[in-house]
Structures are given as C-alpha cells and as structure tokens.
Amino acid sequence: MTSEEQSQGLNGMDLIIDGWFHERGELWPGQAMSLKVEEVLYHGRSDFQDVLVFKSANHGNVLVLDGVIQVTERDEFAYQEMMAHIPLFAHPKPEKVLVIGGGDGGILREIAKHPGVKEIFICEIDGDVIKYSKQFLPSLAKGFDDPRVTTKVMDGAKFMDENQASFDVIITDSSDPIGPASVLFETPFYSAMHKSLRDGGIVCTQGESMWLHLDLIEPLVSAISKFFTTVEYAYTSIPTYPSGQIGFIIAGKNCGSVKVPATVPTDEQLETMKYYSPDIHKASFVLPRFAEKAIFKKK
C-alpha cells in the first residue's frame, strides 16, 4: 500500500471479493463476517470515513463504515430497540433526549415511539451517513421525519458542552473505538455526558462485545464509574455484529438501578417492537460468569 493510499484510509470496495463482502476488523483478529453482495448501491469517502452501501442476498441493504458493518435491514431492530428502549423505559419520565451518532436514524425511529418525549436532538458528525441512510435505508431513516427531531451535523461533545444539565436521556450510538468514533470512548466524553444530563438522567453507550472486548469494556466501565452513581452492562443478540452480540453500558446520574423498567410499553407500542419487552429488558443485564467477573470484578 502506498503512502497516498494509507492517507486516504480503507477502501470498502477492496473487501468485496468474488461477490462477497468480508468484514475483517482489526478489533476481532482471526475471524470474519461475510455477506453475499447483489449490488453495490453507493461507495465513497466522506470527510471522516469510507462509506459503503450494498444490497445483500439475504440481509437487505447493508451500511458499512470503514469496512465495518453498521446496519443490515434484516437484524438492525435487535440493536436499535434495545439501545433506545432500555434507557427510555428505565427513566420514569423522559422528555428531552439526545442521540450522539446514530446517523442511520434507527435510534430516532425507536425514540419516536415514546409519546411523552417532547424534544429529540441528534448530533451526527458525518452528514454523509445521514444522506445515504435516507436514500438507501428508509425504514431506519424515517426516524428523521418525526417533528420533534432536531438534527445537528457537528461534534457531539461540543454540543453537550453548550447544553449543560439539559437532557433526561443521552444515547451514544457509535461505531467502534477507531477512526472518528474513538473520541466517544475517552474519559472527557463521559464527563461531558454527565454534565449534559439532568439530575436523575440516564446515558446508554455502545459497549462492544463481551466475547471479544473485555479488555476494552472493563476500563470503559471503570472510567464511567468515576462520574455516574450507577453503571450497569446489558447486551443484545444480533447476528451480523462480531460474535453475534453487542453490549450497552448504561449509567445513571443520581438515580438507582436501570435493570428493572420504571414504565412498560403499552400494547400499541409492543406491536411496533420485534425484540424489546419488559422481560428481555431485565434479562439483558444477566451476564455469563466470565463476563460478570471481568467487567465488575465479581468473584
């Protein structure tokens, strides 16, 4: 690879070989996820990262950033629903919500199912993610259509610095801790989230995979614990994420445990959900012994 190619970053098209996309991330060495490609719908480089969208044989349209699968239409609900509804149903009365990242719109779609929420802000640093999600992932990007949504294409940390003690729930829907998302896994960002929360507020951040990233998760939990009164870890099953699983770090500012919902979905809300339920909310915090011991230092 030439120095010019290195400066331009990864090229997602290089990961399509013989009609198959092969995800070979540096955070999960020695394993790969492959999907059969029917058609490349878009490929280009934004100001921040490589953006690839393709139509797959069995998983619908797929969004890939810097070579890593972010969304497939087949299983995205397992992630979007849990990341949104765990903190929203754990909070007794969320009215003002902030999403950091999440430019595909899926988290917005789920937040919009909560009629008590009055204002929804999203800060996505890469406008191209929003643009091409609206074009190729309309079932997710319809979240942007809710009149309560205000979209900010800017750095989330800067927005939080400008909006202290403002939000009941903050959801950080980030990619992995490399590239433009790396700042979202650093201590100053957790401090900014804490300051931007109202008293009694809850944050939910992408928490990587217990099968692959315990060396990342444990220090993340430790760093967040310096700012928040409660820090807990939940997870969801999603086939197209590394090892078929991803976690959430959920922390509260002067509030109790979020393991039990403070409110529950109405029958009408449940009809719109494929994964989340009050039972799975509670069950998602029950960790295998190896993960519980590593993350929370339990014997």
Side-chain angles (χ1 to χ4, degrees):
M1 181 180 289
T2 67
S3 59
E4 180 180 359
E5 287 172 330
Q6 287 176 329
S7 68
Q8 291 175 344
L10 179 145
N11 186 325
M13 294 296 292
D14 293 340
L15 301 177
I16 300 176
I17 303 169
D18 296 329
W20 287 75
F21 171 82
H22 302 280
E23 180 191 63
R24 298 174 180 146
E26 62 185 81
L27 288 174
W28 42 94
Q31 68 183 63
M33 174 70 186
S34 298
L35 293 175
K36 188 174 183 180
V37 178
E38 288 198 344
E39 180 186 0
V40 173
L41 301 173
Y42 171 78
H43 177 252
R45 185 159 190 89
S46 73
D47 291 338
F48 301 94
Q49 57 202 336
D50 185 90
V51 181
L52 170 68
V53 186
F54 65 88
K55 181 182 178 181
S56 69
N58 298 308
H59 287 75
N61 291 352
V62 181
L63 171 66
V64 179
L65 300 178
D66 276 345
V68 177
I69 294 170
Q70 306 297 310
V71 165
T72 83
E73 289 181 309
R74 180 173 177 174
D75 61 8
E76 52 84 14
F77 62 88
Y79 175 80
Q80 319 285 0
E81 290 186 17
M82 292 294 278
M83 175 161 255
H85 298 311
I86 289 177
L88 287 169
F89 283 116
H91 194 289
K93 193 179 179 182
E95 294 184 344
K96 192 173 181 180
V97 181
L98 171 64
V99 180
I100 306 292
D104 54 63
I107 296 295
L108 295 178
R109 179 194 67 200
E110 297 305 315
I111 297 171
K113 295 176 182 178
H114 292 255
V117 173
K118 296 177 180 178
E119 295 180 89
I120 308 168
F121 289 81
I122 179 169
C123 284
E124 166 62 63
I125 199 168
D126 193 341
D128 278 11
V129 175
I130 298 174
K131 176 181 177 180
Y132 294 108
S133 295
K134 287 182 175 180
Q135 185 173 351
F136 298 114
L137 296 166
S139 65
L140 286 85
K142 67 181 183 180
F144 286 98
D145 297 334
D146 191 282
R148 294 168 291 177
V149 172
T150 299
T151 302
K152 302 283 187 180
V153 180
M154 63 179 294
D155 176 59
K158 183 176 186 297
F159 182 77
M160 288 189 292
D161 284 341
E162 296 169 354
N163 292 272
Q164 302 279 295
S166 295
F167 299 100
D168 298 305
V169 172
I170 299 175
I171 299 170
T172 303
D173 177 16
S174 66
S175 49
D176 295 303
I178 52 177
S182 60
V183 68
L184 306 184
F185 290 79
E186 297 171 358
T187 300
F189 187 78
Y190 307 137
S191 175
M193 284 195 294
H194 185 268
K195 292 175 182 176
S196 193
L197 268 186
R198 292 170 174 166
D199 203 46
I202 298 170
V203 300
C204 180
T205 72
Q206 192 264 92
E208 298 298 323
S209 170
M210 70 177 79
W211 291 102
L212 298 168
H213 305 125
L214 288 175
D215 59 330
L216 292 174
I217 297 168
E218 189 278 327
L220 278 173
V221 169
S222 296
I224 292 175
S225 297
K226 296 174 183 177
F227 303 101
F228 293 88
T229 50
T230 59
V231 180
E232 292 164 318
Y233 190 88
Y235 69 97
T236 189
S237 297
I238 177 166
T240 53
Y241 282 1
S243 292
Q245 177 274 337
I246 196 165
F248 312 108
I249 300 173
I250 305 167
K253 181 178 181 178
N254 299 323
C255 67
S257 173
V258 299
K259 291 182 179 181
V260 177
T263 62
V264 297
T266 64
D267 290 342
E268 290 78 11
Q269 285 174 310
L270 277 175
E271 282 299 311
T272 71
M273 299 172 188
K274 299 178 182 179
Y275 197 101
Y276 180 87
S277 71
D279 285 340
I280 209 163
H281 179 129
K282 291 177 280 189
S284 67
F285 291 92
V286 180
L287 305 180
R289 276 182 44 77
F290 77 89
E292 186 178 49
K293 288 171 67 176
I295 297 169
F296 296 106
K297 304 302 181 186
K298 291 193 176 181
K299 295 182 179 180

